[in-house]
Amino acid sequence: MVNLISQLINLFASVLLIVAFAMLSQRRILSLIHLFTLQGATLVVATVLIAYSTGQTHLYVSAAMTLLLKVILIPLLLHRLINRLNVRWDIETLFNIPTLMLIGIGVVILSFYLASPISNLSATIVRSTLGIALAIVLLSFMMMITRAKAVPQVIGFLSMENGLFFAATAGVYGMPMIVELGIALDVLVGILILGVFMFQIRERFDSLDVNHLEKLKEN
């Protein structure tokens, strides 16, 4: 039974990685939000499986917080935000999609190489997924720096936080509850602040391209 659960956790970890790749290659805002929601739902299932297999009951609370925040609340806020901003355009990237995919493959290989020594020291049943968690973080960071628009950069930041949460869960069975509550509150407040920030950019420049901020710097 434990072996089956471990295989299921590895399966959902692989799904998280595939979704991160899909987000990196996605050019539509709505599709990007849907992929982020799928990533959050997959993270919830993986966390519940880890909690069940290890008896770490606080992980059930973490899974519930992730469900409320990453699967329900934040996607709703993002949908309302893009509806009010009236953005349905394709996402501009610094590189073409095939180049991003090739770089992403290299990032994944590097992540597994870097995580291998840590995985060998970890005593958790999901230590093999640490490489996947690190790859998700780096792919999400890569998505942030290769996008010119504010909305996909915000989603990349949220996806990177998902990777960090999964890394903590896989490495040490989660963080202390007070830390998780603080991070959840910070993420929620950050989304609200970034929403106001996006409205200010749109009102000032009639665009969400963050490159326009250079004009403010020059002024």
Side-chain angles (χ1 to χ4, degrees):
M1 183 65 179
V2 175
N3 187 44
L4 175 61
I5 293 177
S6 179
Q7 291 179 356
L8 287 174
I9 293 172
N10 289 330
L11 172 63
F12 284 106
S14 300
V15 172
L16 286 172
L17 181 58
I18 292 172
V19 172
F21 256 108
M23 293 173 71
L24 184 64
S25 63
Q26 186 54 243
R27 301 183 64 90
R28 301 290 298 175
I29 290 291
L30 280 177
S31 299
L32 194 58
I33 295 176
H34 294 157
L35 287 171
F36 170 73
T37 306
L38 175 61
Q39 188 182 59
T42 306
L43 184 60
V44 169
V45 176
T47 304
V48 169
L49 287 173
I50 295 173
Y52 177 78
S53 63
T54 62
Q56 302 287 332
T57 55
H58 71 279
L59 289 179
Y60 289 113
V61 180
S62 300
M65 290 171 51
T66 302
L67 177 65
L68 177 63
L69 195 64
K70 301 292 185 63
V71 182
I72 299 175
L73 187 56
I74 288 180
L76 285 176
L77 290 175
L78 289 174
H79 275 290
R80 291 191 61 182
L81 182 64
I82 64 171
N83 285 334
R84 292 192 61 182
L85 292 172
N86 192 28
V87 288
R88 293 289 190 276
W89 21 251
D90 290 344
I91 302 170
E92 298 178 7
T93 59
L94 298 180
F95 305 101
N96 58 47
I97 298 303
T99 301
L100 285 177
M101 292 294 96
L102 289 175
I103 297 175
I105 292 173
V107 167
V108 172
I109 295 173
L110 177 64
S111 299
F112 276 93
Y113 175 77
L114 294 176
S116 179
I118 304 175
S119 299
N120 294 333
L121 294 175
S122 177
T124 65
I125 64 171
V126 286
R127 59 183 180 272
S128 60
T129 62
L130 285 173
I132 293 178
L134 179 58
I136 294 170
V137 172
L138 294 180
L139 288 173
S140 301
F141 180 71
M142 182 178 168
M143 185 177 75
M144 289 179 61
I145 64 177
T146 57
R147 298 300 195 269
K149 305 295 184 181
V151 176
Q153 289 182 352
V154 170
I155 296 176
F157 168 77
L158 294 171
S159 177
M160 186 165 59
E161 199 273 333
N162 282 344
L164 291 172
F165 177 84
F166 185 63
T169 304
V172 292
Y173 295 145
M175 297 172 286
M177 188 53 61
I178 187 66
V179 176
E180 293 187 11
L181 288 173
I183 292 175
L185 180 61
D186 288 344
V187 169
L188 184 58
V189 172
I191 287 296
L192 296 177
I193 294 174
L194 287 169
V196 175
F197 175 69
M198 291 178 198
F199 278 110
Q200 293 296 325
I201 296 178
R202 181 61 178 267
E203 181 178 353
R204 177 68 175 81
F205 298 109
D206 195 28
S207 171
L208 289 178
D209 193 330
V210 295
N211 291 325
H212 288 305
L213 295 178
E214 291 293 329
K215 297 179 180 179
L216 290 180
K217 182 179 179 181
E218 292 173 0
N219 293 332

